[in-house]
């Protein structure tokens, strides 16, 4: 923000109104990339009709961003020789997360800012292997290499390789699992390296559900709050420095992690634990060895096929897809869209509509709370709380100076923050970077301030992500 | 079972893997390096041209990942027709340039630059410079015994245009107490050669934080935060990229500093293993320096494309969660 | 500058606080510590030293305590030592800085009555920018100008002809004495022809580097990148130099005319006048003249109705000799520390704000209107083959009539000293602190670029500082070394540390306490000189040993004492 040419400080949850207005303005100014739209996309006419109501005036009203800023953004983005849209969880932790993303995809299709060097769409990953987890099939509907589990051709390949029949239906994502717990359909849970008790929205509700399970296993480096609830705890070693393997970063680069130190006595790496578990369940998978397993991935996932350990070593990681040992990996995706004749199917514009956050603001809960991270901290603080960060200052409710004036708040004053689901007490901090009406908290210090007591578990039906970014709150002064 | 168009059946790959657009190459240039004719890429620096041909030119303030500031003058070479020596790190080759990398003039200047540095700065944790000093026969002791170190903060308070007249019996130095104001890293400006690398890494070459700058003038020039405040009161975000580029150990992990003070720092017992940072999705390479099964320092190789050797506070310092709690102060 | 002021500047200009700190701590007229509101900066540099500057400082110390006292104790005044204030023809000199509602600087020179006038001025700062203006009677004012410019009223003076004759505050008076005829001719013949005239005149830069002005103009005029900038280097800080100051004080419109012609010829719409912070009267006169020229349509969107735009902005220095180096000057204008840039690229390609830039010295530009009036070829006939035109010399030190002298290139040093009334000399410093000492045997050297070069000396900025038999030359040389140690920007190792080691070495020589043998000390001095000359980034470091080495090795002053 400090270094930006433009700062579109929008009302949280109005991303689609903004994106659609940008799209409309680009079309109105005749700045859309006609050649690209005609040759590589479908559904442009529907999109154009869909964004027609999103005038600059409407968008200014809905988003709070001045019309001339939106107009400038639209023109600059469309005219730039190279332009990239990067986003983080501010786009995806909403009840309409996928629609938010589609609204941005539409802009890139409209302007041809995709499939070319220096352009594109970049979801910046917040965890070192969140990309790799998905790549490896830690998604309810995918096998490793994004191969759809409901695609018979893909699935049968795995059936043959593994000597078992892979279930042909997609599973549950995280939010669906909690719904299934609520219904009583999910009774046992095995949690590896996650602390859902403190990281899920609507924490009191999450605790209730986890406590109601018949059987909870936690595999972690630490005895987290979730692990404290577990029936069985499997002490794990740190994947990044106490074991061998790979992770995949935001730019799809598969990278080697290596063992640098011995793990504490009694802990085992994830592979060893899983292999031991398989043995107890009657299957001998042999010796747990990261490279052997990686080579299995390469056999089954075409996009990883060319990534031998030797090549990963030599090139400092490779970006998927990398189809064979001669392939350099793809620096950016979707370049096929610029081949003429077009190679493969066209890409569809998918019109989407603005839909404000579920947790509505009203007279009782007039302020918007959004959550996020601070530079020196990480998630629920399980790892980052161990080092002495000079930047650490604990949890706070960050408010704009204007709101501080309005509510008579002073820096450091402890207030009660109440949402429709719960309340926490937290000191106030003034932040000039916030627009009036918007407040901010993190989830880094859940033992001190359980921010997720406040957040709503309204989730996106397509991605299963909860709307952490938009909670309606009010501030109650203590002793007043 | 409803097929989902693109992802259900992945689209075909492009007919060839995408690549960065090529840059128009400047025409090659004919030069003479140490009497040998050479054709080198146009637009390259003298340093590039020489190193590509295996001609070694020492450098101190130069790093490929930073904009050359050409202030240390260790890399000067002689170019025929030039009144003065030129810095190889930033001077670009020109057609017909005749370059001498080890002429007597060059050797005198290098020797003197090293003598001037070694007589004024503590180079005890800058091993590379010792090799250079041997190579050029530097004799820093000929400037006399070192003057009494400055008191804490005294150098930071000096004003431009005014200094205490010397008596010449002792050589002035930059010696002063170590600045220890946080648990992550220390600043020992007795070891600072003022190469500007930390300022560049804090600024536009890496971090864009601008927490430090060169302040003061002349021999009293120093690296300073705003108004010389301690780091916790400055804009510092503790990425430690300044430590990563510091050539003399003036900026150092507090853990290394403490171990050196305690006499337990032993590089012969250390092993370095490259891995990937456990925090965000950028995928920075961490080089873990391990002594006695304990991570004692984290660096990052500059030749990795992801961040060119730069890290953030978590990657550089946030590793202690793999250690037993309470084992030491950090 | 208080912390509050720094915070305000940082936010207002969006400059990171650490960078701002770096800039503020670079300039010696700025302070980050509380200073009393009124401070006397007393010159103890070489010219003033000859005329009692050091004794003045010692007396002040007795009356007021040590120099540089800060204002923590609530004192209203303080005094500090200062490097050369550029008032060498009327030494000793002091500069008063007055902070408050109406901040200003006041030149006190000459300080002829011991400490009294300084103490008086500290108590009650005079309401003027220069004590020279204090005289009421026109005759007395005239006499004071003549004291600085002894040739006032002499015929045939091209550069100082108006001084003392034409009211420097009157545009009308300037126009009535051939003013703006140069620009009129320039507009008549067009930019390309102007450059051709300057090339024909073989005019060489008068700032010290002697680069052909015409070539510089031509390069910028042809540079494709836009905009082009003109910078007039008026940061005259070379100890012993005061010519540009007097030109700006006494004939400011001539500089404006010269800059306007240069801007017209090279396609610059904006000119910066980087004016030394220690020159209050020059700043006042230039600001007044620029305003008058603008009001008369001689600067602005349509200069002289000739269809071109040109205007001038004054930027004041804040106490840093290094900012006279052209690339350090750019950085200073850009709001940065005055650290020189490596060259190439040269300013004509990448200069101020990264754009093609013409940088010319004040004297160079003042030659331009005269050159255009007389015609380039004719002008080129003045002086010698290698050094054409008239030249200004700043004569100071032990002479009867110190001051600014104009003479055609080629006058010998002896002839010039005769004009100024020199007694038998022991040494003459040519070119200032960055110059070279010559001895009595060198007095017949013709004062030209090539003539001085032939004897291993330099003309530099035209400094002719004369030392008689009684002067402690080793002390003078030590002061020069001190000067360079203070004024080094600190960027490159040879100069940053080399100037310290040079000063230490001279202190040892003076105290006759060599480290090892004298021969070892001499070898060390030569090594220091060589590394500074060969490996420094800019001219400051490259010349920081020049005067010192010439005194030690050419005049053997160390041997004589020891």
């Amino acid at each position: 923000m400090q270094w930006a040419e433009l700062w579109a400080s929008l009302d949280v949850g109005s991303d689609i109104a903004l994106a659609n207005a940008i799209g409309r303005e680009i079309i109105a100014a005749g700045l859309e990339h006609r050649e690209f739209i005609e040759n590589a996309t479908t559904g442009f006419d529907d999109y154009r009709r869909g964004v027609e109501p999103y005038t600059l005036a409407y968008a200014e009203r809905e988003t709070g961003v001045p019309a001339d800023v939106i107009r400038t953004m639209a023109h600059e983005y469309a005219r730039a020789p190279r332009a990239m849209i990067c986003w983080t969880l501010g786009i995806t932790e909403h009840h309409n997360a996928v629609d938010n993303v589609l609204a941005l995809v539409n802009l890139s299709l409209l302007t041809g800012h995709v499939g070319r060097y220096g352009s594109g769409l970049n979801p910046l990953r917040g965890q070192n292997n969140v990309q790799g987890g998905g790549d490896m099939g830690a998604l309810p509907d995918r096998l490793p290499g994004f191969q759809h589990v409901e695609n018979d051709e893909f699935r049968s390949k795995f059936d043959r390789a593994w000597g078992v029949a892979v279930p042909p239906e997609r599973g549950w994502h995280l939010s669906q699992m909690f719904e299934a717990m609520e219904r009583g359909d999910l009774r046992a849970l095995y949690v590896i390296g996650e602390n859902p008790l403190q990281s899920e929205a609507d924490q009191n509700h999450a605790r209730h559900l986890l406590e109601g399970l018949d059987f909870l296993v936690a595999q972690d480096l630490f005895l987290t709050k979730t692990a404290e609830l577990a029936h069985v705890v499997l002490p794990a070693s740190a994947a990044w420095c106490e074991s061998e393997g790979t992770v995949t970063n935001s730019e799809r680069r598969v990278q080697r992690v290596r063992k640098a130190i011995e793990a504490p006595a009694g802990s085992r790496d994830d592979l060893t634990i899983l292999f031991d578990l398989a043995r107890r369940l009657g299957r001998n998978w042999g010796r747990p060895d990261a490279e052997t397993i990686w080579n299995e991935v390469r056999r089954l996932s075409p996009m990883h096929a060319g990534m031998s350990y030797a090549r990963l070593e030599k090139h400092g990681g490779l970006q998927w897809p990398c189809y064979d040992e001669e392939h350099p990996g793809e620096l950016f995706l979707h370049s096929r869209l610029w081949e003429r004749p077009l190679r493969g199917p066209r890409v569809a514009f998918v019109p989407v509509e603005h839909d404000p956050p579920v947790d509505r603001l009203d007279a009782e809960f007039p302020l918007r709370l959004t959550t996020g991270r601070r530079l020196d901290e990480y998630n629920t603080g399980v790892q980052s709380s161990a080092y002495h960060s000079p930047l650490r200052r604990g949890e706070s409710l960050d408010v704009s100076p204007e709101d501080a004036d309005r509510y008579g708040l002073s820096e450091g004053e402890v207030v009660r923050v109440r949402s429709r689901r719960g309340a926490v007490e937290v000191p106030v901090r003034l932040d000039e970077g916030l627009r009036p009406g918007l407040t901010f908290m993190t989830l880094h210090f859940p033992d001190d301030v359980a921010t997720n007591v406040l957040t709503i578990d309204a989730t996106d039906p397509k991605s299963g992500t909860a709307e952490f970014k938009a909670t309606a709150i009010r501030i109650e002064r203590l002793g007043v | 079972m409803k097929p989902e168009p693109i992802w259900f059946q992945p689209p075909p790959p492009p007919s060839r893997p995408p690549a960065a657009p090529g840059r128009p190459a400047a025409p090659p240039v004919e030069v003479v390096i140490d009497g040998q004719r050479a054709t080198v890429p146009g637009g390259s620096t003298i340093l590039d041209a020489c190193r590509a041909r295996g001609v070694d030119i020492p450098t101190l303030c130069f790093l490929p990942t930073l904009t050359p500031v050409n202030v240390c003058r260790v890399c000067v070479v002689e170019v025929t027709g030039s009144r003065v020596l030129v810095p190889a790190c930033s001077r670009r080759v020109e057609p017909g340039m005749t370059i001498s990398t080890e002429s007597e003039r060059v050797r005198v200047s290098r020797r003197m630059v090293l003598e001037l540095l070694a007589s004024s700065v503590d180079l005890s944790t800058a091993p590379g410079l010792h090799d250079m000093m041997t190579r050029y026969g530097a004799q820093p002791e000929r400037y006399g015994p070192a003057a009494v170190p400055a008191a804490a903060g005294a150098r930071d308070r000096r004003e431009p245009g005014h200094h205490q007249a010397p008596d010449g019996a002792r050589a002035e130095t930059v010696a002063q107490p170590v600045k220890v104001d946080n648990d992550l890293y220390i600043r020992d400006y007795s070891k600072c050669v003022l190469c500007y690398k930390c300022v560049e890494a804090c600024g536009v070459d890496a971090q864009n934080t601008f927490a430090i700058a060169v302040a003061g003038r002349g021999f009293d020039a120093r690296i300073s935060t705003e108004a010389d405040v301690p780091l916790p009161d400055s804009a510092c975000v503790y990425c430690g990229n300044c430590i990563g580029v510091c050539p003399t150990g003036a900026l150092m992990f507090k853990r290394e500093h403490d171990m050196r003070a305690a006499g337990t720092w032993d590089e012969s017992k250390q092993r370095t293993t490259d891995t990937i940072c456990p925090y965000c999705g950028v995928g920075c390479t961490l080089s873990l320096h391990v002594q006695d099964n304990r991570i004692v320092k984290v660096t990052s190789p500059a030749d990795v494309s992801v961040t060119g050797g730069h890290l953030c506070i978590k990657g550089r310092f946030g590793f202690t969660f793999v250690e037993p709690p309470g084992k030491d102060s950090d | 500058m208080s912390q509050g002021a720094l915070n305000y500047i940082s936010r207002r200009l969006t400059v990171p606080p650490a960078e701002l700190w770096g800039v503020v701590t670079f300039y010696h007229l700025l302070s980050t510590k509380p200073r009393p509101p009124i401070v006397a900066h007393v010159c103890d540099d070489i010219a003033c030293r000859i005329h009692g500057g050091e004794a003045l400082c010692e007396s002040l110390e007795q009356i007021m305590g040590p120099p540089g006292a800060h204002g923590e104790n609530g004192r209203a005044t303080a005094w500090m030592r200062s490097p050369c204030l550029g008032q060498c023809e009327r030494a000793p000199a002091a500069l008063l800085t007055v902070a408050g509602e109406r901040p200003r600087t006041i030149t006190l020179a000459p300080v002829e009555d011991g400490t009294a006038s300084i103490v008086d001025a500290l108590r009650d700062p005079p309401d003027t920018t220069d004590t020279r203006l204090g005289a009421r009677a026109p005759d007395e004012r005239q006499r004071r100008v003549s004291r600085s410019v002894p040739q006032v009223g002499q015929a045939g003076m091209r550069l100082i002809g108006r001084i003392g004759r034409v009211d420097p505050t009157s545009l009308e008076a300037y126009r009535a004495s051939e003013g703006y005829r140069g620009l009129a001719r320039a507009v008549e013949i067009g930019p390309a022809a102007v450059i051709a005239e300057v090339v024909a005149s073989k005019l060489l830069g008068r700032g010290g580097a002697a680069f052909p002005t015409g070539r510089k103009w031509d390069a910028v005029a042809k540079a494709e990148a836009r905009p082009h900038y003109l910078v007039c280097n008026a940061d005259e800080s070379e100890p012993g130099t005061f010519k540009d100051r007097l030109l700006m004080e006494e004939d400011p419109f001539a500089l404006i005319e010269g800059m306007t012609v240069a801007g017209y010829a090279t396609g610059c719409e904006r000119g910066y006048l980087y004016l030394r912070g220690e020159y209050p009267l020059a700043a006042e006169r230039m600001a007044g003249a620029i305003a008058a020229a603008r009001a008369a349509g001689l600067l602005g969107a349509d200069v002289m109705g000739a269809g071109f735009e040109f205007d001038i902005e004054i930027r004041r220095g804040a106490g840093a000799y290094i900012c006279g180096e052209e690339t350090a000057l750019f950085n200073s204008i850009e709001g940065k520390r005055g650290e020189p840039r490596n060259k190439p690229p040269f300013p004509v390609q990448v200069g101020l704000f990264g754009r093609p830039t013409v940088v010319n010295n004040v004297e160079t530009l003042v030659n331009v209107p005269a050159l255009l009036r007389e015609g380039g070829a004719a002008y080129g006939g003045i002086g010698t083959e290698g050094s054409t035109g008239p030249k200004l010399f700043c004569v100071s030190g032990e002479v009867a009539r110190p001051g600014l002298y104009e003479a055609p290139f080629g006058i010998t040093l002896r002839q010039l000293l005769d004009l100024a009334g020199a007694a038998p000399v022991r040494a003459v410093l040519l070119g200032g602190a960055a110059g070279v000492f010559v001895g009595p045997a060198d007095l017949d050297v013709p004062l030209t670029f090539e003539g001085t070069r032939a004897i291993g000396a330099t003309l530099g900025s035209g400094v002719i500082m004369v030392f008689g038999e009684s002067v402690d030359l080793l002390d003078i040389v030590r002061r020069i070394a001190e000067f360079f140690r203070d004024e080094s920007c600190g960027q490159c190792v040879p100069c940053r540390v080399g100037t310290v080691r040079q000063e230490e070495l001279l202190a040892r020589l003076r105290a006759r306490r060599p480290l090892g043998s004298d021969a070892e000390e001499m070898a060390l001095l030569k090594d220091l000189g060589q590394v500074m000359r060969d490996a420094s980034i800019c001219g400051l470091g490259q010349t920081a040993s020049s005067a010192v080495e010439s005194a030690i090795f050419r005049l053997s002053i160390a041997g004589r004492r020891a």
Side-chain angles (χ1 to χ4, degrees), chain A residues 3 117 125-128 150 170 222 240 249-250 255 257-258 261-262 330 332 335 339 343 375 378 386 388 390, chain B residues 1 4 11-15 18 20-21 183-184 210 238 274-277 279-283 293 314 320-321 329:
Chain A
W3 300 104
Y117 181 80
R125 304 304 202 171
Q127 308 188 30
N128 84 332
E150 292 165 3
R170 66 182 68 192
F222 298 100
W240 65 284
N249 75 354
S250 272
Q255 303 166 288
V257 294
R258 298 178 185 84
I261 54 174
E262 293 298 331
E330 290 197 4
F332 51 91
S335 62
E339 293 190 37
R343 199 172 159 84
L375 171 67
Y378 189 68
H388 289 189
Chain B
M1 181 162 93
E4 297 171 19
S15 45
D183 289 333
L184 302 185
F210 307 98
Y238 304 91
D274 285 359
T275 190
I276 302 299
C277 176
Y279 287 102
C280 81
V282 174
N293 202 41
K314 298 188 293 295
T320 55
F321 68 89
S329 64

Side-chain angles (χ1 to χ4, degrees), chain A residues 214-227:
Chain A
D214 293 345
F215 187 49
L216 175 61
V217 183
Q219 178 170 319
D220 206 297
L221 275 61
F222 298 100
L223 193 66
T224 60
K225 291 290 176 200
T226 306

Side-chain angles (χ1 to χ4, degrees), chain B residues 60 69-73 76 83-87 90-92 94 104-106 108-121 141-145 155-173 192-196 203 209-222 224-228 235, chain C residues 3 6-7 16-28 30-33 35 41 68 70 80-83 319-322 337 339 341-344 478 481-483 485-501 503-505 507-508 511 513 515 520-521 523-524 527-528 530-538 542:
Chain B
L60 175 56
V69 287
N70 55 69
V71 298
C72 76
R73 317 307 278 186
V76 288
R83 182 175 50 86
V84 293
L85 303 178
V86 304
S90 58
R91 182 66 177 268
R92 304 205 175 269
E94 290 156 27
E104 189 49 32
R105 256 180 99 190
V106 167
V108 168
S109 271
R110 289 191 190 152
R111 169 172 61 79
M112 286 301 292
V113 164
L114 293 166
E115 281 186 6
L116 293 174
L117 283 177
S119 67
S120 57
V121 183
E141 59 284 353
R142 64 180 178 139
Y143 301 87
R155 279 186 56 81
D156 300 295
R157 288 191 293 270
R158 290 204 185 152
E159 299 195 310
H162 300 279
H163 70 276
Q164 187 80 41
D167 69 3
R170 289 177 169 270
E172 191 176 4
T173 72
C192 177
V193 291
L194 215 66
C195 67
Y196 287 56
T209 288
F210 307 98
I212 49 172
V214 176
R217 198 167 79 193
F219 192 74
D220 305 328
R222 66 259 174 192
S224 179
T225 57
E226 53 186 283
D228 184 39
Chain C
Q3 192 55 53
L6 292 169
N7 291 346
E19 278 190 10
L20 178 64
W21 183 254
V23 172
V24 170
T25 55
F26 187 85
Y27 297 95
H28 65 240
L30 306 178
S31 177
T32 55
K33 290 178 232 167
R35 260 183 199 174
H41 303 261
H70 291 112
M80 300 174 88
R81 287 171 180 269
S82 171
Y321 167 71
I322 187 59
R337 294 164 57 78
E339 293 177 352
R341 306 172 184 171
N342 214 63
K343 291 188 275 193
R478 186 209 55 76
E482 178 189 339
F483 174 81
R485 191 272 190 218
D486 271 338
E487 299 298 336
S488 166
C489 79
Q491 202 184 184
C492 68
V493 176
C495 174
R496 179 176 77 236
V497 190
T499 54
V500 171
R501 297 291 177 250
E503 189 192 10
E504 287 169 350
L505 192 153
R508 291 196 296 270
R513 279 201 307 260
L515 277 173
E520 282 170 292
E521 292 282 29
L524 192 54
D527 276 355
L528 287 169
Q530 185 173 343
V531 71
M532 288 197 280
R533 196 163 45 247
D534 270 357
S536 294
I537 291 177
C538 79
Q542 288 160 13

Side-chain angles (χ1 to χ4, degrees), chain A residues 29-354:
Chain A
L31 296 172
E32 75 273 20
H33 198 302
R34 298 249 167 78
E35 193 276 337
F36 183 77
I37 293 169
E38 274 165 29
N39 287 290
T41 71
T42 61
F44 173 65
D45 289 336
D46 286 347
Y47 176 72
R48 190 180 55 207
R49 276 190 295 275
V51 298
E52 188 51 38
Y54 291 83
T55 61
L56 293 179
Y58 167 84
E60 175 168 323
R61 209 163 52 239
E62 282 301 309
T63 65
V65 180
D68 63 325
V69 172
I70 302 176
R71 187 175 178 280
T72 308
M73 277 173 78
H75 288 235
E76 298 274 322
Y77 175 66
R79 287 203 173 110
R82 295 171 184 174
M84 204 181 272
I85 300 178
C86 300
W87 68 87
T88 56
L89 298 180
I91 286 294
T92 47
E93 284 185 349
H94 280 289
H95 75 283
N96 50 351
V98 172
D99 285 358
N100 277 344
V101 173
L102 288 169
L104 301 177
V105 170
N106 289 336
L107 292 181
S108 74
L109 296 179
L110 187 61
T111 52
H113 285 318
V114 66
R116 290 186 301 150
Y117 181 80
S119 293
L121 294 149
N122 279 291
L124 303 178
R125 304 304 202 171
Q127 308 188 30
N128 84 332
N129 200 25
V130 74
Q131 179 71 51
D135 299 350
M136 290 303 106
L139 293 171
D141 56 355
R142 306 289 166 146
L143 290 157
F146 288 117
Q147 298 172 92
H148 208 290
V149 71
E150 292 165 3
N151 181 316
D152 296 339
E153 178 198 334
F154 293 151
R155 199 179 59 255
S156 58
K157 184 169 62 176
F158 287 86
D159 289 350
R160 282 195 303 278
W162 291 345
V164 293
V166 175
E169 306 86 23
R170 66 182 68 192
W172 289 324
H173 56 58
L174 186 56
S175 302
Q176 288 166 331
M177 287 189 210
F178 274 85
E179 287 162 19
M181 286 182 223
E182 186 134 34
R183 292 193 308 271
D185 293 347
L186 193 158
R187 306 296 309 151
L189 189 66
Y190 183 175
V191 178
I192 303 179
E194 178 122 1
N195 185 16
L197 178 61
Q198 291 184 313
S199 63
E200 284 304 285
D202 197 351
Q203 185 171 328
N204 291 334
H205 190 54
R207 166 177 286 274
H208 171 73
L209 294 175
L210 290 170
E211 282 175 345
L213 289 168
D214 293 345
F215 187 49
L216 175 61
V217 183
Q219 178 170 319
D220 206 297
L221 275 61
F222 298 100
L223 193 66
T224 60
K225 291 290 176 200
T226 306
E228 284 177 10
L229 276 190
H231 301 90
V232 174
V233 177
L234 298 166
S237 61
W240 65 284
C241 68
E242 293 168 350
S243 65
E244 299 287 330
T246 63
V247 291
T248 307
N249 75 354
S250 272
E251 54 167 3
R252 299 167 282 105
R253 184 181 299 275
V254 177
Q255 303 166 288
R256 283 276 282 113
V257 294
R258 298 178 185 84
K259 178 171 178 168
I261 54 174
E262 293 298 331
S267 67
R268 289 171 293 173
D269 71 27
D270 294 332
L271 270 189
T272 308
I273 295 173
L274 290 171
F275 272 57
D276 286 353
L277 195 60
R279 199 170 291 117
R280 296 287 194 95
L281 292 169
R283 284 281 196 152
N284 184 357
W285 288 348
R287 193 174 61 86
D289 173 68
E291 185 172 5
T292 309
I293 293 185
W294 179 250
N295 285 333
E296 182 181 322
V297 170
R298 292 172 57 209
R299 280 194 301 278
L300 291 168
S301 167
M303 67 187 218
H304 292 103
M307 298 179 176
S308 65
Y309 263 31
R311 287 193 78 207
L312 292 177
E313 195 86 40
K314 182 177 167 204
H315 298 286
L318 288 164
Q319 288 171 283
W320 64 249
C322 174
Y323 300 105
D324 56 60
E325 298 225 10
E326 305 305 314
H327 196 284
E330 290 197 4
L331 184 60
F332 51 91
L333 297 177
H334 312 306
S335 62
R336 68 169 185 93
L337 297 176
W338 291 92
E339 293 190 37
R340 302 290 176 266
L342 178 69
R343 199 172 159 84
R346 289 163 173 267
V347 194
F349 280 94
V350 183
V352 289
E353 296 291 346
H354 170 52

